[in-house]
């Protein structure tokens, strides 16, 4: 099969060079313009010289002196060896040509020729289909990768505001519409329009007057078809959108399967899913209705136009004597021949319109500009000490400010804690520090440089983040760990895992480091997963560490292990800790208390607790049943190098 494809490519190339050769022969060669009298006489009269077609009046004309085969022969004969080769072919043809009366001979020859033609048709048909499909699939891969690449470049905000299921749908279903459009274009458009154009040419040749009449008749049909096409496109768009909702429902159901099961909501979910599907169904049917309408309309009007033209033609022939009989026949028969391709074109046009709805949805994704991009003059950041300063930082997701006038100064290696009621803006600040968003006001400086002026890739190489949700990819543990640093050696990986107290667990798994983490990491406990993400962060060896409620989702036993591994991780790094459990941050160098997007208090655990009116004291006593715990002073005793 593959060799046939190579053959096909070869044939295409041959065809192209033949075409190029013809152009050179006919258009560019000086002989093309020389008058016939000055030409060399052809060596031999070509066999295949067909008499030129009769002109409109039906009168015979003299065979043209510059007939193409002659010209070609004259030119080709200059190629060395061509004449000899041609003579050999002619001799061979003469040998296989049966004598005039040899009926059997002719029958066999014709059968063999038919067989050859059939085989050629089969091969070219197969090749066309194969090459076309191959080309289309290539294009699709390119589009899909391109769209994905673009998506990954988009800001974090984009993924918060879009529904993941809808994105899936655009990446799969809508891109498949591109497939459909391309296939229609390749398969029908070329074939049908060449047929149609030749039909039109014959009609105009046969009777310009009747052609003009048909044009006038066809115009309003085209207008109506355009209306249908627009309808198809609009409805298809709504259908594609609806399919996005179907995908989104599936995605939500499956990712929330635990809750669905726990709340025994299977039936409820099925009903909800059915409703989304019903809505999709209605919209899909509306697309079909518009397409079928266009087709029925074309059918009816096509016949009406033909009827009018028959009447008009017969009137022109009989009454007005404006057209001769044979031309009327030619005109009407080519009209009849054009019917099928015209119908196909209308169908294709609507299919392409339908597909364009999907294309539009893909293009919408591509039109979204990445939010956080490197400035063209962004500077490299090969090393980072870990000095962090925030000046007047403010941020809003939309219009409502979430952070206001934040000032902070953190020395390299310091541990600072961010505490405060939920919704105060702590996670948002962590996201700003990782440059997932840019502040809407003020400046964040690392080592005295505005983070917007350095290359984002360089910046992130010095930052690691551990969040509440220990996400692991559905691949080997090793791959997941290497996410921290691509080129980490096995020794480094094992060392990181030992420091994160997870090496023994991994070693006991079947397959060890090559064990595949199940879908959403279900084969590992929350604490184990979290320790893997900590090992991942350790491998990165960051200067700045961002911990957002890294232990909140864990039971107290795994919390202790995770806490110990975090202490290893924090050693010697500038660390921002968000912790719900205040007992975990009592040893921080400084605690910032957030409330409604502002820093309302700042100081050490002892100082803040000493202030009887402090919000910190209130939050702390709330968690410890009103009793300060002596052991809290030991926890997280500011690990310093
Ligand atoms: N992606 C988002 N889009 C819009 N608003 C958000 C988004 N994330 C958080 N918020 C809002 O910003 C505020 C601060 O949220 P967050 O930083 O998560 O608080 P915390 O981590 O302190 O609990 C909240 O009012 C929250 O509703
Ligand atoms: Mg939070």
């Amino acid at each position: 099969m593959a060799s046939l494809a190579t053959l096909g490519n070869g044939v295409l190339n041959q065809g192209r060079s033949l075409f190029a050769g013809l152009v050179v022969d006919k258009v560019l060669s000086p002989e093309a313009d020389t008058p016939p009298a000055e030409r060399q006489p052809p060596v031999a009269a070509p066999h295949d010289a067909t008499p030129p077609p009769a002109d409109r009046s039906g009168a015979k004309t003299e065979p043209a002196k510059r007939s193409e085969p002659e010209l070609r022969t004259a030119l080709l004969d200059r190629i060395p060896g061509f004449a000899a080769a041609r003579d050999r072919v002619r001799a061979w043809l003469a040998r296989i040509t049966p004598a005039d009366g040899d009926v059997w001979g002719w029958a066999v020859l014709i059968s063999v020729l038919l067989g050859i033609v059939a085989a050629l048709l089969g091969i070219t048909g197969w090749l066309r289909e194969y090459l076309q499909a191959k080309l289309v699939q290539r294009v699709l891969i390119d589009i899909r990768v391109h769209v994905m690449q673009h998506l990954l470049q988009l800001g974090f905000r984009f993924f918060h505001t879009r529904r993941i299921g809808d994105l899936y749908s655009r990446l799969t279903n809508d891109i498949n519409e591109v497939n459909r459009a391309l296939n229609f274009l390749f398969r029908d458009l070329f074939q049908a329009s060449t047929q149609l154009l030749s039909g039109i040419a014959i009609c105009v040749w046969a009777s310009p007057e009747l052609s003009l009449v048909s044009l006038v008749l066809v115009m309003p049909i085209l207008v109506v078809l355009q209306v249908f096409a627009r309808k198809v496109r609009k409805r298809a768009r709504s259908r594609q959108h609806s399919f996005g909702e179907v995908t989104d429902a599936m995605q939500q159901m499956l990712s929330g399967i635990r809750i669905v099961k726990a709340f025994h909501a299977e039936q409820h979910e099925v009903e909800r899913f059915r409703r989304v599907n019903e809505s999709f169904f209605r919209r899909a049917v509306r697309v079909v209705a518009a397409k079928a309408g266009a087709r029925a309309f074309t059918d009816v009007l096509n016949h009406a136009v033909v009827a009018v033209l028959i009447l008009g033609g017969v009137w022109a022939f009989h009454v007005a004597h404006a057209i001769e009989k044979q031309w009327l026949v030619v005109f009407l028969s080519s009209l009849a021949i054009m019917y099928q391709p015209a119908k196909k074109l209308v169908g294709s046009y609507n299919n392409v319109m339908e597909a364009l709805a999907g294309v539009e949805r893909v293009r919408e994704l591509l039109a979204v500009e990445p939010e956080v991009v490197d400035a063209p003059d962004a500077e490299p950041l090969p090393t980072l000490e870990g000095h962090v300063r925030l000046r007047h930082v403010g941020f809003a997701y939309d219009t409502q400010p979430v952070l206001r006038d934040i000032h902070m100064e953190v020395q390299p290696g310091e541990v600072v804690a961010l505490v405060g009621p939920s919704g105060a803006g702590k996670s948002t600040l962590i996201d700003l520090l990782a440059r997932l968003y840019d502040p809407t006001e003020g400046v964040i400086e690392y080592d005295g440089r505005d983070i917007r002026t350095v290359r984002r890739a360089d910046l992130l190489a010095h930052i690691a983040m551990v969040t509440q949700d220990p996400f692991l990819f559905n691949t080997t543990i090793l791959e997941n760990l290497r996410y921290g640093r691509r080129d980490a050696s096995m020794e480094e990986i094992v060392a990181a895992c030992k420091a994160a107290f997870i090496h023994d667990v991994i070693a006991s798994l079947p397959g060890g480091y090559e064990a595949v983490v199940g879908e959403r990491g279900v084969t590992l406990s929350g604490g184990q997963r979290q320790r893997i993400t900590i090992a991942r962060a350790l491998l990165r060896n960051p200067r700045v560490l961002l911990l957002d409620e890294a232990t909140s989702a864990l039971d107290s036993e795994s919390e202790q292990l995770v806490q110990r591994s975090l202490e290893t991780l924090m050693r010697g790094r500038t660390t921002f800790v968000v912790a719900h459990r205040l007992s975990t941050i009592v040893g921080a160098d400084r605690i910032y208390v957030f409330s409604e997007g502002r820093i309302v208090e700042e100081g050490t655990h002892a100082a803040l607790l000493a202030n009887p009116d402090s919000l910190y004291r209130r939050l702390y006593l709330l968690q410890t049943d009103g009793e300060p715990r002596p052991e809290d002073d030991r926890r997280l005793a500011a690990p310093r190098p």
Side-chain angles (χ1 to χ4, degrees), residues 363-615:
R363 283 182 41 186
E364 274 172 12
L365 288 188
L366 290 177
V368 182
E369 297 272 345
E371 209 177 312
V372 179
V373 281
D374 279 347
D377 54 352
E379 291 166 22
L381 187 71
T383 57
L384 186 71
E385 279 285 315
H387 180 272
V388 182
R389 186 153 69 144
L390 283 79
R391 288 187 292 149
H392 291 294
V393 168
F395 182 75
Y397 285 103
D398 29 63
T399 51
Q400 183 71 18
V402 169
L403 288 174
R404 272 175 282 202
D405 205 24
I406 303 290
H407 286 267
M408 262 187 206
E409 175 132 18
V410 185
Q411 299 304 327
E414 273 189 334
V415 175
V416 298
L418 317 178
V419 304
S422 103
K426 305 175 300 285
S427 297
T428 305
L429 188 70
I430 294 288
D431 287 349
L432 291 185
L433 287 168
R435 218 185 158 206
L436 292 179
Y437 302 104
D438 276 337
T440 36
E441 274 167 51
V443 183
I444 299 178
E445 289 173 355
Y446 280 16
D447 284 5
R449 297 162 77 175
D450 184 342
I451 58 173
R452 280 171 295 197
T453 64
V454 299
R455 286 196 208 134
R456 192 160 172 270
D458 287 1
L459 181 77
L460 292 182
H462 301 301
I463 298 177
M465 195 190 222
V466 180
T467 63
Q468 192 168 7
D469 172 32
F471 181 80
L472 296 177
F473 290 97
N474 190 0
T475 169
T476 62
I477 291 182
L478 193 61
E479 279 277 306
N480 271 293
L481 289 163
R482 284 234 161 94
Y483 225 75
R485 191 150 52 84
R486 296 263 143 238
D487 57 355
S489 72
M490 202 58 214
E491 288 74 41
E492 288 172 313
I493 290 176
V494 171
C497 287
K498 282 186 173 154
F501 303 104
I502 192 65
H503 171 73
D504 293 341
V505 176
I506 297 175
S508 73
L509 292 174
Y513 280 83
E514 294 292 342
V516 173
V517 181
E519 184 80 39
R520 313 206 94 228
V522 283
T523 53
L524 294 164
S525 77
Q528 291 166 341
R529 273 186 289 160
Q530 191 61 292
R531 271 151 30 213
I532 292 182
T533 67
I534 289 169
R536 180 167 76 186
L538 264 173
L539 277 172
R540 174 152 278 210
N541 192 18
R543 294 303 311 147
V544 175
L545 186 61
L546 308 171
L547 306 177
D548 190 358
E549 313 236 13
T551 57
S552 304
L554 309 176
D555 56 83
S556 21
E557 199 182 318
S558 30
E559 189 195 343
Q560 284 201 357
L561 261 185
V562 169
Q563 191 63 48
R564 276 172 59 201
S565 60
L566 279 177
E567 279 161 22
T568 329
L569 179 58
M570 287 156 70
R571 210 160 287 149
R573 310 177 204 275
T574 309
T575 306
F576 292 80
V577 197
V578 178
H580 182 64
R581 253 164 277 190
L582 299 185
S583 58
T584 60
I585 46 113
V586 290
D589 289 304
R590 210 159 34 265
I591 297 170
Y592 293 95
V593 185
F594 280 71
S595 174
E596 294 176 9
R598 291 178 197 278
I599 296 177
V600 290
E601 286 159 20
E602 175 184 340
T604 60
H605 170 70
L608 287 170
L609 207 60
N611 179 353
D613 302 326
S614 74
L615 172 61

Side-chain angles (χ1 to χ4, degrees), residues 34-54:
T34 338
E38 293 170 23
R39 283 175 191 282
Q40 295 184 338
V43 176
H47 278 314
D48 56 343
T50 44

